[in-house]
Amino acid sequence: MLTNTLNKAFLLIVHLDADLLEIVFLSLRVTCVGILIATILGLGLTLLLEIRKIPGQGLIIPILNTLTGLPPVVLGLLLYVVLSRSGPLGFLGLLYTPTAMVIAQTILATPIVAALSHAAITATGQPVRDTARGLGATEFQALLAVFGDARYAIMAAVAAAFGRVMAEVGAVLMVGGNIAHHTRVMTTAIAMEADKGDFELAIALGIILLSLSFLVNAALYAFQRMGRK
Amino acid sequence: MLTNTLNKAFLLIVHLDADLLEIVFLSLRVTCVGILIATILGLGLTLLLEIRKIPGQGLIIPILNTLTGLPPVVLGLLLYVVLSRSGPLGFLGLLYTPTAMVIAQTILATPIVAALSHAAITATGQPVRDTARGLGATEFQALLAVFGDARYAIMAAVAAAFGRVMAEVGAVLMVGGNIAHHTRVMTTAIAMEADKGDFELAIALGIILLSLSFLVNAALYAFQRMGRK
Amino acid sequence: MITFHAKNIQRFHSKRLILDLDLHFTNAGLHVILGPNGCGKTTLLRLLALLDTPDKGEILLSANGNAITPNLKTRQNIVLVPRPDGLFNHSVHQNVEYGLKLRNITKTHRLKRVQKVLEAVRLTHLSRSNALRLSSGEKQRLCMAMAIAVKPDVILLDEPTSSLDPHNSHQVEQIIIQLKKENRMLILVTHNISQARRLADTVTFMGTDTKVSQNPAREFFTTFDQDGLDGYL
Amino acid sequence: MITFHAKNIQRFHSKRLILDLDLHFTNAGLHVILGPNGCGKTTLLRLLALLDTPDKGEILLSANGNAITPNLKTRQNIVLVPRPDGLFNHSVHQNVEYGLKLRNITKTHRLKRVQKVLEAVRLTHLSRSNALRLSSGEKQRLCMAMAIAVKPDVILLDEPTSSLDPHNSHQVEQIIIQLKKENRMLILVTHNISQARRLADTVTFMGTDTKVSQNPAREFFTTFDQDGLDGYL
Amino acid sequence: DTIKCASTTSTQNSGLLDYLLPIFTAETGIDVQVIAVGTGAALKLGQKGDVDVVLVHAEELEKQLVEEGFFIDREAIMYNDFVILGPKNNPAGITGTDKVIDAFKKIREAGSNFVSRGDNSGTNMKENRIWAGTGQMPDRGNKWYLSVGQGMAKTLRIAAEKQAYTISDRATWYSIEDQDKLDLAIVLEGDPSLFNQYGVMIVNPNKHPHVDYRSSMNFVIWLTSPAGQQAIAAFRDKLGNVLFTPNAGQ
Ligand SMILES: Nc1ncnc2c1ncn2[C@@H]1O[C@H](COP(=O)(O)OP(=O)(O)OP(=O)(O)O)[C@@H](O)[C@H]1O
Ligand SMILES: Nc1ncnc2c1ncn2[C@@H]1O[C@H](COP(=O)(O)OP(=O)(O)OP(=O)(O)O)[C@@H](O)[C@H]1O
Ligand SMILES: [Mg+2]
Ligand SMILES: [Mg+2]
């Protein structure tokens, strides 16, 4: 039975089953957009933290670090309460749309990008920064030099965030609703198909999701090794 | 309405509602056991990797790193297929038991513990190891010295894994089944109660889960700072 | 030529007073700073390079009597030689080019300049390799090149030859001597007394008790064993 | 007293030949190893300390003619002085105690010994502080203490005074001189020629082209400017 | 002893099981662990032998699976009915007197959103049978047809958010705690074809020897016994509604 199911699953993949592709592409679309925004926000935040000692500086980093552990279901619950028609932002009608999923993934990913890049930069940044400023760079130019120097660590941070949110199911299910052809992504589809006992699609998606997150993590690992020791 | 719900949620917490406590304690029990095993396996693996250059050494670490990104739903699916009565390990009758959840969390946590500790040790281990061996320690004694020296980094790794698996919902739902009083943990309960519209309990659990994972991450952050720079 | 006046400057680290002195550095030539580990040499150098600002007092700059504002232009004229661990994770060429980019020098001129400087420090053959993969001696020479490339009036150096072998130290010293010839102002922190003897025009000695003496080199080295160098040598 | 024979040893790093020599170290006293950056001094020292094994050839140990097997007991008698960046993230006391624990010395004896050694290197007042928070000079003295504590016959030192001020280097040299008096065998890698002059009984010079010379110190220092030190000095 | 029971989300979410099981356990000492999924999933779990007993609502399919020997001892225990819900402004203009088939036709013609369980649950099967009755199943082309593959409660939420029509068993609809906040109303009920029969059956021990037949049978017996039937009849939700009507042996 199992081998049989596996074969079917592989067939789905090799024949590029329409539903399958649709789900995979939606996943990638949502995650890519989410990560893009998260990267901008995360790096912006890091930059901000480095530029000027803001009041409460000392708190922000611990907070960022703890936010990297924000439980997806809690976020999902939160967003549900806020986005549902009876909630403060209900009028936007965002609940159960891809946009809602993007929002969720952005919120999950931003602290990861920010915390990891910040860690990388504080770990190796000071000497590089001194070099730049010692050669006559402005605070800001020096900072750019540090970011440029830590580029691999930053890419690793982004990859890490990507892998985490792409593989996450709790939040996207609660705010996305797993609506076919609309908000059904790999993780939610896998969970559902498994419930229905329809393992072909589930396993096919599982294989793809697994390969993707392995790719991402391989990239991450490669980036980490390219960075300065 | 929202404030009202919040109040009710807080009441549930302060009055130590029985169901609430049961769910929280089960979560903690499952995660603690899972993390305990994962720590033993993870550290054992790291130790093994350090003791002797095993054939395929070069592969194991990348693999470990990629396994840290194993999507929970995929693991859930896998375990389901394997543990189901009609699956190879069906005779154990583990599906939809806390044991199954522990297995899932162990599998999720082990690579995290192993990869992070290994990274910490390779980052700072060599000089410490040389010190020990230079003073006449055996390979193994030197290794213990390195582990002792990296104790904070290791604790941080464990904390990171703890936070991740405690907040995870996909795998535990698929292999646990969210059975009341039996396999219902915080994350699965939150997702369900939110659907039922029982937001008091959902939010109460959310608050507790949030606080717990913030605690864990605070600890993690503290450990990281205690370690050698 | 720029003149430095470190006016009653104080510097604290986590509430602990690290530095408390009033100093002048005038004239071209090489000014050596000596002092025990932890007396604040690096700290002082960073203040002079305008990387940090003193917690008390200030660094006053002037050119033949007229005060200069420490604007970007001034700062770009005062260069702190990078430390090997601060090299960019880029090619040797790019490392040297960086300072020139900061000064908006055209690509063609940058190229010429980088090549010229790399020859001067004998790293031409490595211009494509990653700076982090160089040997300790090569790294230190690259650091010098990065500073020289931008032709500053003032160059600050912090232990440029520690952990270099005599040969490499010699090469670095040759570069320093060349810079003296071009009569720039150099401020050099070192623990190597004989090096100080070879190079110094003036010697500033910093005691741990934040007591500071400043003398012409000859005077210092002919009399140091007397007055209070609190067991430095 | 142990005798080392590095018999036609070769060492490679990522396929590149780093080391290729045949050397003897005999007799108590201080043997200095000199050589340009990257010539393989640290590599050699690690081989002598039996931390690494040569890719070709072998390290032969003997005591007055009789070969000794490099078992644990032997290894515990040959100590490589730790480097400051290899100190344990524990208290100063615990760092010194470590080597004694390895030799299963009883708690009470350990305590006595640690106190004695800490006095010898003048760190008693810091015995409770974390080793990683010490100053560079204090760290280096702690490293010496960790080696001395276990009373080995052979002590290997890799640049124990680089980036130390003259005062701190002097203190470390005093410790080394003390060890010479107790007629142990010391092998010291340094870039500081005058230090080598002060301390060396024999000098081993390693050229970059894996050419090696070994001479009594006086001979070496009185004739160095002639034969091929390929511009080392 | 302990048995695992795969049940529909409706019986769980409505609170019925939370109400019945303690009574059963008190009387028999048998502990029942409920896995709440769609009927389709519940039956799959039964066929795989991952549970001992199933409590579902898909009469034909249940009987068929008994025929095929996956389950035994099927008993009808109770019924309630399905209702059609829709936005309060009822864009498709469904009237209370409509037949369900016509209501679904109106929905298609108006192109109003319709949320489907899409999870092979009993409700989903009922829905599909109704669509079939309209002579045309919805397909990918129908942007207004939202298949969510979720439990009844979540499906209702999505319907409310999407201002869509949907079909639900009455029990679950009543059990939604914040029903008042879901902008939905029953637009059609009482059509005989909306009848919803619940049945219980035991996983065939011949296929899956580990099944605790004794305890399972005790469960079936109790549910169909006067005690169980009265308990079901006595069950009320928070608002005092009757949600299930016992009909064992009728
Ligand atoms: N970032 C810092 N935080 C806390 N203390 C510091 C910091 N940087 C320097 N210090 C302390 O300030 C004092 C002076 O440091 P500095 O590096 O200027 O000394 P130094 O003269 O350069 O020593 P060395 O000769 O070893 O380089 C030392 O006691 C050092 O411990
Ligand atoms: N782990 C390593 N991987 C690759 N190459 C290495 C490694 N360790 C040392 N090398 C190379 O081996 C050669 C010898 O290194 P070694 O550290 O023994 O030189 P050294 O004589 O101690 O230099 P220095 O005087 O700067 O300490 C150098 O070219 C160095 O780049
Ligand atoms: Mg300094
Ligand atoms: Mg060396």
Side-chain angles (χ1 to χ4, degrees):
Chain A
M1 164 272 175
L2 200 60
T3 52
N4 177 4
T5 325
L6 272 176
N7 293 337
K8 292 223 191 96
F10 276 115
L11 286 182
L12 281 178
I13 298 177
V14 292
H15 292 134
L16 302 173
D17 175 79
D19 290 355
L20 190 79
L21 285 186
E22 188 184 26
I23 293 171
V24 173
F25 284 138
L26 180 61
S27 290
L28 289 178
R29 221 183 72 221
V30 170
T31 302
C32 287
V33 177
I35 286 296
L36 187 71
I37 305 174
T39 306
I40 296 168
L41 293 180
L43 291 187
L45 191 55
T46 320
L47 208 59
L48 209 71
L49 285 174
E50 291 294 322
I51 287 175
R52 282 260 156 277
K53 295 269 156 288
I54 330 165
Q57 179 91 4
L59 280 176
I60 296 174
I61 291 119
I63 290 176
L64 269 180
N65 275 280
T66 48
L67 276 181
T68 57
L70 177 65
V73 282
V74 175
L75 175 63
L77 178 62
L78 216 81
L79 284 177
Y80 178 88
V81 172
V82 175
L83 294 180
S84 75
R85 292 207 179 269
S86 54
L89 298 184
F91 62 91
L92 296 173
L94 286 180
L95 195 57
Y96 303 128
T97 63
T99 315
M101 301 163 86
V102 169
I103 294 174
Q105 296 205 337
T106 305
I107 296 178
L108 285 174
T110 304
I112 301 178
V113 174
L116 289 182
S117 345
H118 182 270
I121 281 167
T122 39
T124 68
Q126 199 49 46
V128 174
R129 192 176 190 160
D130 291 342
T131 302
R133 296 194 51 225
L135 289 168
T138 62
E139 278 286 357
F140 188 72
Q141 290 171 320
L143 218 49
L144 293 186
V146 171
F147 272 72
D149 187 77
R151 60 197 176 284
Y152 293 119
I154 290 171
M155 288 192 247
V158 174
F162 193 99
R164 275 279 280 286
V165 298
M166 181 177 62
E168 191 284 318
V169 67
V172 287
L173 182 55
M174 288 177 82
V175 303
N178 186 45
I179 302 171
H181 319 305
H182 183 45
T183 60
R184 180 165 301 171
V185 289
M186 289 189 278
T187 53
T188 58
I190 290 171
M192 176 192 79
E193 299 298 343
D195 275 350
K196 282 166 58 180
D198 172 4
F199 288 110
E200 288 82 28
L201 188 51
I203 292 178
L205 286 169
I207 293 169
I208 295 176
L209 178 53
L210 205 60
S211 327
L212 284 173
S213 54
F214 276 15
L215 267 179
V216 171
N217 281 276
L220 186 160
Y221 184 65
F223 289 142
Q224 283 172 336
R225 296 168 52 92
M226 279 187 267
R228 64 168 61 226
K229 298 297 151 289
Chain B
M1 161 267 174
L2 201 59
T3 52
N4 177 5
T5 324
L6 272 177
N7 294 339
K8 292 221 190 95
F10 276 114
L11 286 183
L12 281 178
I13 298 177
V14 293
H15 291 136
L16 302 172
D17 174 79
D19 292 357
L20 190 78
L21 285 186
E22 188 184 24
I23 294 172
V24 173
F25 284 141
L26 179 62
S27 290
L28 289 178
R29 222 184 69 219
V30 169
T31 303
C32 287
V33 177
I35 286 295
L36 187 71
I37 305 173
T39 305
I40 296 167
L41 293 180
L43 290 187
L45 192 56
T46 320
L47 207 59
L48 211 72
L49 284 174
E50 291 294 323
I51 287 174
R52 282 261 156 279
K53 295 270 156 285
I54 329 164
Q57 179 92 4
L59 280 175
I60 297 173
I61 290 117
I63 290 175
L64 269 180
N65 275 279
T66 48
L67 276 181
T68 57
L70 177 66
V73 282
V74 175
L75 175 63
L77 178 62
L78 216 80
L79 284 177
Y80 181 93
V81 172
V82 174
L83 295 181
S84 159
R85 288 284 177 183
S86 54
L89 298 185
F91 62 91
L92 296 173
L94 287 179
L95 194 60
Y96 301 130
T97 63
T99 315
M101 302 164 88
V102 170
I103 295 173
Q105 296 205 336
T106 305
I107 296 177
L108 284 175
T110 304
I112 301 178
V113 175
L116 289 183
S117 342
H118 181 269
I121 281 167
T122 41
T124 67
Q126 199 49 48
V128 174
R129 192 173 189 163
D130 291 341
T131 301
R133 297 196 48 226
L135 290 169
T138 64
E139 279 285 357
F140 188 73
Q141 289 171 319
L143 217 49
L144 293 186
V146 170
F147 273 72
D149 187 78
R151 60 198 177 283
Y152 294 119
I154 290 171
M155 287 192 247
V158 173
F162 193 99
R164 276 277 279 286
V165 298
M166 181 177 62
E168 192 283 320
V169 67
V172 286
L173 181 56
M174 288 173 82
V175 303
N178 187 38
I179 302 170
H181 317 303
H182 184 51
T183 60
R184 180 165 300 168
V185 290
M186 287 189 279
T187 54
T188 57
I190 290 170
M192 184 192 74
E193 299 301 339
D195 287 348
K196 280 171 58 183
D198 180 353
F199 288 105
E200 288 84 33
L201 187 50
I203 291 178
L205 285 167
I207 293 169
I208 295 177
L209 179 53
L210 205 60
S211 325
L212 284 173
S213 54
F214 276 14
L215 267 178
V216 171
N217 281 276
L220 186 159
Y221 184 66
F223 289 143
Q224 283 172 335
R225 293 169 54 91
M226 277 188 270
R228 63 169 63 224
K229 295 299 150 289
Chain C
M1 179 48 56
I2 294 177
T3 298
F4 290 82
H5 178 199
K7 190 171 177 209
N8 305 318
I9 54 169
Q10 291 191 348
R11 181 78 172 151
F12 296 83
H13 271 307
S14 43
K15 302 229 168 11
R16 193 160 60 87
L17 180 64
I18 303 305
L19 206 65
D20 180 7
L21 45 71
D22 187 292
L23 267 178
H24 290 264
F25 291 98
T26 46
N27 311 333
L30 189 138
H31 307 274
V32 163
I33 300 178
L34 296 176
N37 294 112
C39 69
K41 301 181 294 298
T42 299
T43 307
L44 173 60
L45 220 54
R46 292 177 57 87
L47 292 172
L48 295 175
L50 307 176
L51 288 194
D52 301 329
T53 46
D55 301 311
K56 282 227 179 61
E58 53 185 328
I59 306 284
L60 298 174
L61 303 174
S62 56
N64 36 48
N66 321 326
I68 338 174
T69 53
N71 55 19
L72 185 60
K73 209 179 147 314
T74 315
R75 283 198 41 222
Q76 296 203 330
N77 201 8
I78 304 169
V79 162
L80 175 65
V81 175
R83 302 160 57 107
D85 66 356
L87 289 170
F88 300 122
N89 185 1
H90 292 289
S91 74
V92 168
H93 184 285
Q94 288 165 308
N95 271 270
V96 179
E97 195 178 16
Y98 180 76
L100 300 166
K101 279 194 179 147
L102 290 178
R103 288 154 180 81
N104 310 315
I105 293 170
T106 63
K107 183 124 192 54
T108 48
H109 285 78
R110 288 208 302 263
L111 210 67
K112 276 216 212 65
R113 183 71 187 146
V114 173
Q115 284 167 351
K116 194 157 176 311
V117 176
L118 284 182
E119 273 162 36
V121 299
R122 319 231 309 297
L123 288 177
T124 316
H125 59 296
L126 293 171
S127 66
R128 298 253 156 291
S129 15
N130 182 306
L132 303 187
R133 312 264 175 282
L134 299 182
S135 78
S136 39
E138 293 160 345
K139 275 186 180 162
Q140 190 57 60
R141 298 212 304 274
L142 173 55
C143 292
M144 298 297 293
M146 291 167 74
I148 298 168
V150 300
K151 299 186 177 152
D153 285 342
V154 184
I155 302 179
L156 311 171
L157 308 100
D158 194 356
E159 299 187 39
T161 60
S162 67
S163 85
L164 288 193
D165 64 44
H167 178 62
N168 278 311
S169 323
H170 178 73
Q171 292 198 345
V172 172
E173 284 188 16
Q174 289 310 310
I175 300 169
I176 293 174
I177 290 166
Q178 179 56 34
L179 292 169
K180 279 181 71 172
K181 288 216 191 80
E182 299 168 4
N183 79 14
R184 310 179 186 282
M185 177 189 238
L186 294 93
I187 303 181
L188 167 71
V189 170
T190 183
H191 286 304
N192 183 331
I193 302 298
S194 48
Q195 179 175 67
R197 264 201 225 89
R198 284 192 294 275
L199 303 174
D201 296 315
T202 79
V203 174
T204 306
F205 180 80
M206 300 170 58
T208 26
D209 52 3
T210 75
K211 164 166 48 62
V212 178
S213 74
Q214 224 171 358
N215 308 80
R218 175 157 293 93
E219 196 174 311
F220 177 84
F221 287 115
T222 48
T223 61
F224 66 82
D225 39 7
Q226 300 142 20
D227 49 16
L229 301 193
D230 38 23
Y232 174 70
L233 296 158
Chain D
M1 178 48 58
I2 294 177
T3 299
F4 291 83
H5 178 197
K7 189 170 176 210
N8 305 319
I9 54 170
Q10 290 191 347
R11 182 79 173 150
F12 296 84
H13 271 307
S14 44
K15 303 222 165 16
R16 193 160 61 87
L17 179 65
I18 302 307
L19 207 63
D20 179 6
L21 45 70
D22 187 291
L23 267 179
H24 291 263
F25 290 96
T26 46
N27 312 334
L30 191 139
H31 307 274
V32 163
I33 300 178
L34 295 176
N37 294 112
C39 70
K41 300 181 295 299
T42 299
T43 308
L44 173 60
L45 221 53
R46 291 176 57 87
L47 292 172
L48 296 175
L50 308 176
L51 287 196
D52 301 332
T53 46
D55 300 312
K56 282 228 178 64
E58 52 184 329
I59 305 282
L60 298 174
L61 303 175
S62 56
N64 36 50
N66 320 327
I68 340 174
T69 53
N71 54 20
L72 186 60
K73 208 179 146 314
T74 317
R75 283 196 43 223
Q76 295 203 330
N77 200 6
I78 304 169
V79 162
L80 175 65
V81 175
R83 300 160 56 107
D85 65 357
L87 289 170
F88 301 123
N89 185 0
H90 292 288
S91 74
V92 168
H93 185 284
Q94 287 165 308
N95 271 269
V96 179
E97 197 177 15
Y98 181 75
L100 300 167
K101 278 191 178 152
L102 289 178
R103 287 154 180 79
N104 310 317
I105 293 171
T106 62
K107 184 124 192 52
T108 46
H109 286 77
R110 289 207 302 264
L111 209 67
K112 274 215 214 67
R113 183 71 189 147
V114 172
Q115 284 166 352
K116 195 156 172 312
V117 175
L118 284 182
E119 272 163 34
V121 300
R122 320 230 310 298
L123 287 175
T124 315
H125 59 295
L126 293 171
S127 66
R128 298 254 153 291
S129 9
N130 182 305
L132 304 187
R133 311 266 175 280
L134 299 180
S135 80
S136 39
E138 294 160 343
K139 275 184 179 166
Q140 190 56 61
R141 293 203 319 263
L142 174 55
C143 292
M144 298 297 294
M146 291 167 75
I148 298 168
V150 299
K151 297 183 177 156
D153 285 343
V154 184
I155 301 179
L156 311 171
L157 307 99
D158 193 358
E159 300 188 38
T161 60
S162 66
S163 85
L164 289 192
D165 63 43
H167 179 61
N168 278 311
S169 340
H170 178 71
Q171 293 198 345
V172 172
E173 285 188 18
Q174 290 310 311
I175 300 169
I176 293 175
I177 290 167
Q178 179 55 36
L179 292 169
K180 279 182 69 172
K181 289 216 191 77
E182 300 167 4
N183 78 17
R184 310 180 184 283
M185 176 189 239
L186 293 91
I187 303 181
L188 167 71
V189 170
T190 182
H191 285 306
N192 184 331
I193 301 299
S194 47
Q195 178 176 67
R197 271 201 219 89
R198 283 190 296 273
L199 302 175
D201 295 315
T202 80
V203 174
T204 305
F205 180 80
M206 301 171 57
T208 26
D209 51 5
T210 71
K211 166 164 47 59
V212 178
S213 72
Q214 224 170 358
N215 310 80
R218 177 159 289 91
E219 194 176 312
F220 177 85
F221 288 115
T222 49
T223 60
F224 68 87
D225 40 9
Q226 301 143 20
D227 50 17
L229 301 195
D230 39 21
Y232 172 72
L233 298 156
Chain E
D1 328 7
T2 306
I3 55 172
K4 281 197 166 60
C5 169
S7 165
T8 66
T9 49
S10 50
T11 48
Q12 164 121 47
N13 293 349
S14 62
L16 174 68
L17 293 176
D18 294 342
Y19 166 80
L20 288 183
L21 295 180
I23 305 175
F24 170 67
T25 308
E27 288 188 18
T28 62
I30 297 168
D31 186 13
V32 183
Q33 297 178 344
V34 177
I35 296 138
V37 287
T39 289
L43 293 172
K44 277 269 199 308
L45 287 178
Q47 294 177 48
K48 286 218 183 59
D50 289 321
V51 294
D52 304 274
V53 49
V54 297
L55 171 49
V56 292
H57 58 129
E59 202 163 356
E60 291 78 0
L61 184 52
E62 292 166 38
K63 286 173 173 159
Q64 178 194 330
L65 290 174
V66 172
E67 286 299 311
E68 296 170 10
F70 288 102
F71 299 92
I72 55 174
D73 306 320
R74 176 182 182 280
E75 293 287 351
I77 54 171
M78 64 190 183
Y79 69 88
N80 66 357
D81 64 337
F82 293 108
V83 296
I84 309 301
L85 297 115
K88 298 215 168 106
N89 65 353
N90 192 5
I94 294 167
T95 62
T97 58
D98 282 334
K99 292 246 146 264
V100 182
I101 303 256
D102 306 324
F104 274 40
K105 283 186 179 147
K106 284 185 176 176
I107 292 171
R108 174 188 290 122
E109 278 141 23
S112 314
N113 285 345
F114 181 96
V115 179
S116 164
R117 288 282 294 272
D119 62 351
N120 305 342
S121 60
T123 314
N124 187 215
M125 295 179 205
K126 169 71 74 177
E127 174 209 331
N128 288 338
R129 219 170 296 110
I130 298 171
W131 284 120
T134 65
Q136 185 191 346
M137 298 299 293
D139 55 35
R140 294 189 71 134
N142 306 120
K143 287 273 160 275
W144 51 267
Y145 184 81
L146 308 175
S147 170
V148 297
Q150 303 287 307
M152 195 67 249
K154 176 158 226 122
T155 303
L156 284 163
R157 292 196 177 280
I158 297 176
E161 288 299 323
K162 296 290 185 185
Q163 283 300 282
Y165 289 92
T166 192
I167 178 173
S168 165
D169 64 285
R170 189 179 293 276
T172 307
W173 169 240
Y174 284 163
S175 73
I176 298 294
E177 307 252 349
D178 58 344
Q179 196 192 86
D180 50 316
K181 287 190 216 61
L182 299 189
D183 186 13
L184 284 179
I186 295 178
V187 295
L188 179 58
E189 58 190 319
D191 181 323
S193 68
L194 289 176
F195 177 79
N196 180 21
Q197 177 65 54
Y198 285 83
V200 63
M201 50 191 192
I202 302 174
V203 176
N204 187 342
N206 301 324
K207 276 196 187 307
H208 297 289
H210 62 271
V211 169
D212 181 347
Y213 183 76
R214 235 187 90 271
S215 307
S216 305
M217 185 39 98
N218 274 315
F219 186 48
V220 174
I221 291 171
W222 184 80
L223 281 173
T224 52
S225 71
Q229 294 282 298
Q230 278 155 26
I232 293 171
F235 172 63
R236 296 283 183 281
D237 71 4
K238 287 203 182 62
L239 310 167
N241 301 307
V242 175
L243 296 185
F244 297 93
T245 314
N247 67 341
Q250 293 166 31

